[in-house]
Amino acid sequence: MITVLCPGSFDPITVGHIDIITRARDLFGSVLVGVGRNNQKQYLFGDQRIDLVREALDGMDGVDVSPIEGLLVDFCRERGITAVIKGLRFGADFDFELQMAHMNRGLTGLETVLLPAAAEHVTLSSTILREVMKLGGDVTPYVPDVVARAIEAWRSEPVD
């Protein structure tokens, strides 16, 4: 059994993410889902993202969740992880992930495996879901129940 890392910001985690995580687990046996922090991003769910990911994946055998601090390659080296799994929806994803794959491999030899998104999840992105959500649209078909509840709680919060 090989443990691979499936990293992301997961703001929020979607059914497309869960599909990639499940398929990676089925291929490799064990997946560590790394919830990253990009200081250049402003997160809607902040640190709550880690709890939402944990709850969404609760009970899934062979899957663990951990926050990522610092460089991805250092995080992987410290845990003996030699491969990263990334999901691809369209060409722009490939262009970006290929650059990251080359950098990670050049830094430490970390390999990247690119999995195409399932057809039903191709157009799904957390960014689009956040925009639709902020404008009052229903995104519940695209997120796990725990995220749907967090969105409902977010909508019911008083506005400053």
Side-chain angles (χ1 to χ4, degrees):
M1 177 169 57
I2 297 171
T3 298
V4 295
L5 178 72
C6 188
S9 56
F10 304 107
D11 188 37
I13 189 168
T14 68
V15 294
H17 291 129
I18 294 171
D19 178 63
I20 293 292
I21 293 163
T22 302
R23 290 165 51 207
R25 189 261 334 257
D26 292 348
L27 284 169
F28 296 97
S30 178
V31 176
L32 178 58
V33 178
V35 182
R37 176 173 294 153
N38 181 337
N39 293 331
Q40 298 186 1
K41 284 187 176 182
Q42 186 173 13
Y43 295 112
L44 184 65
F45 287 106
D47 289 337
Q48 183 185 12
R49 295 173 299 123
I50 297 165
D51 293 333
L52 291 173
V53 171
R54 282 189 175 122
E55 286 184 56
L57 302 173
D58 187 45
M60 188 181 287
D61 290 336
V63 176
D64 289 309
V65 178
S66 178
I68 297 176
E69 298 291 336
L71 284 176
L72 181 88
V73 292
D74 293 337
F75 180 86
C76 289
R77 183 180 20 217
E78 290 165 7
R79 288 157 182 78
I81 293 172
T82 59
V84 170
I85 303 294
K86 296 294 291 196
L88 299 177
R89 293 164 298 189
F90 38 73
D93 283 352
F94 178 78
D95 292 342
F96 177 77
E97 295 301 342
L98 184 61
Q99 292 176 64
M100 294 300 298
H102 286 159
M103 179 57 73
N104 290 338
R105 188 156 191 260
L107 288 171
T108 64
L110 182 66
E111 293 291 353
T112 301
V113 177
L114 304 173
L115 284 179
E120 62 270 24
H121 306 303
V122 163
T123 58
L124 198 62
S125 79
S126 293
T127 302
I128 290 174
L129 290 182
R130 282 192 310 274
E131 288 304 311
V132 170
M133 187 182 86
K134 287 176 184 177
L135 295 170
D138 180 18
V139 298
T140 55
Y142 310 106
V143 297
D145 291 342
V146 64
V147 172
R149 290 190 301 274
I151 290 169
E152 194 58 40
W154 173 81
R155 284 190 172 142
S156 65
E157 289 178 2
V159 177
D160 292 340

